[in-house]
Amino acid sequence: MSDDPLPEYPRPQLVRDSHLSLNGRWLYAISDDPPGTYDPPETYDGEIVVPYSPEAPLSGVNRQLLPGQTLWYRRSFDLPDDFADGRVILHFGAVDQTCRVWVNDVEAGGHTGGYLPFSFDVTDALRPSGNTLVVAVRDDTGNGPRGKQRLRRGGIWYTAQSGIWQTVWAECVPEVHVERLTLTPLLDDSCVEVTVHAAGGEARVEISAGDETVAHATVPAGRPVRVPLPEVRAWSPEDPFLYDVTVSLGTDRVRGYFGMRSFSVGPDADGVPRLLLNGRPYFHAGVLDQGYWPDGLYTPPSDEAMIRDIATMKRLGFTMLRKHIKIEPLRWYHHCDRLGMLVWQDMVNGGEPYRPWVITAPAVLPFVRLDDRRHHRFGRADAAGRTAFETDMRATVEHLRNVVSLAVWVPFNEGWGQFDAARIADELARLDPTRTVDHASGWHDQGAGDLRSLHVYFRRFRPPRPDGRVLVLSEYGGYGLRAVGHTWGEKEFGYRRYRTVDALGEAFTRLHEEQVIPAIARGLSATVYTQLSDVEDEINGLLTYDRAVLKLPDDLVRSIMKRLRLP
């Protein structure tokens, strides 16, 4: 347990010098408040280390928040001297799921969602010293966006968690300041489109490549301006080059970055539909990344731990991570950008309880394909829940729009809370035409989006007949091996289990040589192996849950991944 966990600046593409981390030891209490009431406790149960959920060992609490209960947080803080002039913005990276916030007994606001950041201007409630911050959280896991959390965990469903699970921090800004930046690379036109979102004024934009200034422009607030770049250097996993950006608006100054790349689909030299990177066919050799940790659950134990996961997969020869049913802290995406790792981003699933014959039967009966406009079948009869999903989807696109490495949006997975996927795919393409869309990963394909996306675990993979879309194997493998001394669940779950490293290695090699590699010539353009690490009962990771053991030899995995390439 650290008194200063995750101290790094949490927003790498909009950096200011003012930064007050509020991570660390807070007081906490869990109470049974009636619905609609919030009565702060007179005494607290103990200390909790923020930003770890009370269910996570690193929090120091190890208690499960149950439906109907309220999790209370409280801490005191003083303002740094450089916060004396300007507006103070209080930021929360993510709080699961519904919260209300008070500063010095003045309510600052509330938020519902669980996975996206939010902030409040708390200037008028602050004192120079002796400030008190109180947060009340409720999380009825099972309603709304929940990801892979379940109160009764097991198999592919993991420990439910709650409360603050990303960095809490504050910054001081001028009255008129840069609220956010939109940086859209236009590779074919050798320019970047810059939009400075602010209440008004003109911003000065300076772009650098290394130590050399290569472009500058004046950008009116709220208006996109194209800034030409000389001798453009394209971003790719093999050359993850990033341009630096400095934006000045009045007395406000922020720093960011972007990469010059393009994502699209198109035919290769033989007319086969392929994923294109920078206008050329590029094979996405990916691995499924759940983003869970034994000590932090949703929250990584350190910045270095996030880096190690990404760097290890890159060393093994993977070029892509599919971020599965979770939105990570922005620093995770930053490390993918700078290390050169493509990202497929899943939206967070929600809805009512799922029916096994909708979400499980297609795994073994691949001909089962249901019309997702019949909402009740998919646990989506509630119109308000569908509206909330679309609201969160739009917010997710804006939140991650500038991520250089993000190549594909995945709104639905295996029918979990799926609805109107064809319409949702069209909406995503309209919101973000710079990326491709996998509208229904796994099953219940509605014939939409850019990708024909298959999950194959219990049968032999055979490429289907072409339908004009790019063919991807978006989940496969799931081969399990128990590493003695490095397991966390009471049970063991895996699609196929092996007893020795040699047996696992032989199966891994045979799967790729007999089924996956030959399919590339028949149109296969991306793969997502299950998975990066074990998670609780699941023992099908390349790494153990604690990341201490790589189950297969480096050179074996690298030799296979080198063959997952297009000519």
Side-chain angles (χ1 to χ4, degrees):
M1 292 172 59
S2 169
D3 289 334
D4 187 25
L6 300 172
E8 295 83 8
Y9 195 91
R11 195 181 55 194
Q13 286 182 297
L14 189 65
V15 178
R16 285 189 177 89
D17 290 334
S18 73
H19 170 228
L20 172 63
S21 174
L22 295 172
N23 291 345
R25 294 179 183 269
W26 297 42
L27 296 175
Y28 88 94
I30 295 177
S31 62
D32 296 305
D33 297 317
T37 65
Y38 288 89
D39 296 318
E42 294 182 1
T43 61
Y44 282 76
D45 299 340
E47 289 187 330
I48 184 171
V49 178
V50 170
Y52 297 103
S53 295
E55 296 84 0
L58 283 174
S59 72
V61 174
N62 285 307
R63 288 178 64 181
Q64 176 71 63
L65 184 70
L66 297 174
Q69 293 182 327
T70 304
L71 170 60
W72 291 90
Y73 295 85
R74 181 184 177 95
R75 70 157 292 164
S76 299
F77 66 97
D78 297 331
L79 294 178
D81 292 339
D82 59 357
F83 275 45
D85 298 319
R87 310 297 298 181
V88 177
I89 310 298
L90 176 64
H91 295 272
F92 292 82
V95 178
D96 191 6
Q97 176 177 14
T98 298
C99 75
R100 290 172 68 177
V101 179
W102 293 265
V103 176
N104 296 327
D105 298 323
V106 176
E107 185 165 0
H111 184 263
T112 296
Y115 292 84
L116 291 167
F118 57 96
S119 61
F120 307 113
D121 185 330
V122 296
T123 311
D124 296 337
L126 289 170
R127 301 186 287 258
S129 63
N131 294 285
T132 300
L133 174 58
V134 174
V135 181
V137 181
R138 289 177 178 167
D139 181 14
D140 293 342
T141 298
N143 298 317
R146 58 185 178 272
K148 300 194 75 174
Q149 305 178 69
R150 197 166 69 176
L151 286 171
R152 295 184 63 184
R153 71 166 182 84
I156 65 169
W157 307 102
Y158 313 139
T159 297
Q161 63 172 73
S162 53
I164 299 169
W165 67 273
Q166 288 191 29
T167 290
V168 184
W169 61 292
E171 64 177 339
C172 186
V173 300
E175 189 77 34
V176 177
H177 60 277
V178 178
E179 297 168 7
R180 59 189 176 94
L181 295 175
T182 301
L183 304 170
T184 306
L186 302 172
L187 185 62
D188 291 343
D189 297 327
S190 297
C191 67
V192 59
E193 186 177 84
V194 179
T195 306
V196 179
H197 301 271
E202 287 189 333
R204 180 70 173 171
V205 176
E206 182 176 284
I207 298 172
S208 302
D211 296 329
E212 180 184 0
T213 300
V214 296
H216 51 79
T218 299
V219 177
R223 184 187 307 172
V225 173
R226 293 189 172 193
V227 182
L229 299 173
E231 301 179 4
V232 169
R233 183 171 170 182
W235 182 97
S236 70
E238 293 71 30
D239 182 22
F241 182 79
L242 299 172
Y243 289 84
D244 293 316
V245 182
T246 301
V247 177
S248 301
L249 178 67
T251 59
D252 192 24
R253 187 172 184 269
V254 297
R255 302 182 301 280
Y257 68 86
F258 65 91
M260 293 298 293
R261 50 83 182 120
S262 66
F263 300 117
S264 57
V265 297
D268 64 12
D270 297 320
V272 177
R274 299 290 189 186
L275 290 166
L276 305 183
L277 171 62
N278 303 333
R280 297 182 178 183
Y282 189 92
F283 194 93
H284 293 208
V287 62
L288 197 69
D289 183 0
Q290 308 278 3
Y292 265 79
W293 307 84
D295 45 7
L297 298 182
Y298 264 4
T299 311
S302 66
D303 206 54
E304 291 75 16
M306 288 190 285
I307 295 170
R308 191 181 308 117
D309 269 7
I310 300 165
T312 298
M313 294 302 108
K314 189 173 178 70
R315 187 186 79 236
L316 293 178
F318 293 98
T319 58
M320 176 262 285
L321 297 176
R322 179 181 167 197
K323 181 48 63 178
H324 198 37
I325 321 295
K326 184 191 177 193
I327 300 169
E328 290 285 5
L330 286 175
R331 292 195 63 81
W332 183 86
Y333 300 95
H334 167 62
H335 295 312
C336 289
D337 292 346
R338 67 179 188 82
L339 294 174
M341 182 64 79
L342 295 169
V343 174
W344 289 22
Q345 179 63 51
D346 290 8
M347 298 295 173
V348 179
N349 62 295
E352 300 146 36
Y354 305 144
R355 302 181 181 187
W357 63 273
V358 173
I359 70 167
T360 303
V364 292
L365 300 172
F367 54 85
V368 175
R369 296 292 182 268
L370 300 178
D371 184 346
D372 67 7
R373 292 172 295 181
R374 298 186 176 185
H375 298 150
H376 66 284
R377 289 181 170 180
F378 290 81
R380 280 297 190 181
D382 178 40
R386 299 196 303 272
T387 298
F389 175 88
E390 294 191 51
T391 299
D392 284 350
M393 179 185 74
R394 288 188 286 270
T396 301
V397 170
E398 290 307 317
H399 178 49
L400 301 179
R401 186 180 292 278
N402 288 343
V403 175
V404 178
S405 51
L406 201 162
V408 175
W409 294 113
V410 186
F412 297 114
N413 179 78
E414 294 186 351
W416 303 346
Q418 181 176 324
F419 68 96
D420 302 344
R423 179 180 62 80
I424 293 293
D426 289 343
E427 172 73 359
L428 270 173
R430 184 190 65 79
L431 288 169
D432 184 7
T434 71
R435 296 179 172 98
T436 53
V437 177
D438 177 3
H439 81 299
S441 185
W443 27 87
H444 305 305
D445 186 346
Q446 307 299 302
D450 300 297
L451 312 182
R452 185 172 186 180
S453 182
L454 306 178
H455 293 185
V456 177
Y457 288 116
F458 300 110
R459 56 189 171 87
R460 187 177 181 85
F461 172 58
R462 293 182 175 89
R465 292 180 180 178
D467 70 354
R469 294 176 295 170
V470 177
L471 175 64
V472 302
L473 184 57
S474 49
E475 286 188 32
Y476 74 108
Y479 289 0
L481 174 70
R482 175 184 175 87
V484 177
H486 299 276
T487 57
W488 261 255
E490 297 83 11
K491 300 179 181 180
E492 295 178 5
F493 175 87
Y495 297 105
R496 296 187 184 184
R497 281 176 274 181
Y498 298 89
R499 294 185 179 274
T500 67
V501 171
D502 288 344
L504 176 63
E506 290 171 4
F508 183 85
T509 301
R510 186 167 57 250
L511 170 66
H512 287 88
E513 289 186 340
E514 295 180 2
Q515 299 180 46
V516 179
I517 294 170
I520 295 175
R522 298 177 60 187
L524 183 63
S525 296
T527 52
V528 180
Y529 182 80
T530 301
Q531 60 186 346
L532 186 148
S533 76
D534 296 348
V535 183
E536 298 183 346
D537 292 342
E538 281 193 291
I539 56 168
N540 51 16
L542 292 167
L543 294 165
T544 53
Y545 196 18
D546 58 5
R547 276 61 165 187
V549 177
L550 177 63
K551 298 182 188 178
L552 289 174
D554 288 46
D555 55 357
L556 185 151
V557 180
R558 279 198 302 269
S559 67
I560 295 295
M561 291 302 110
K562 284 181 180 179
R563 298 168 65 185
L564 294 182
R565 298 290 187 272
L566 297 174

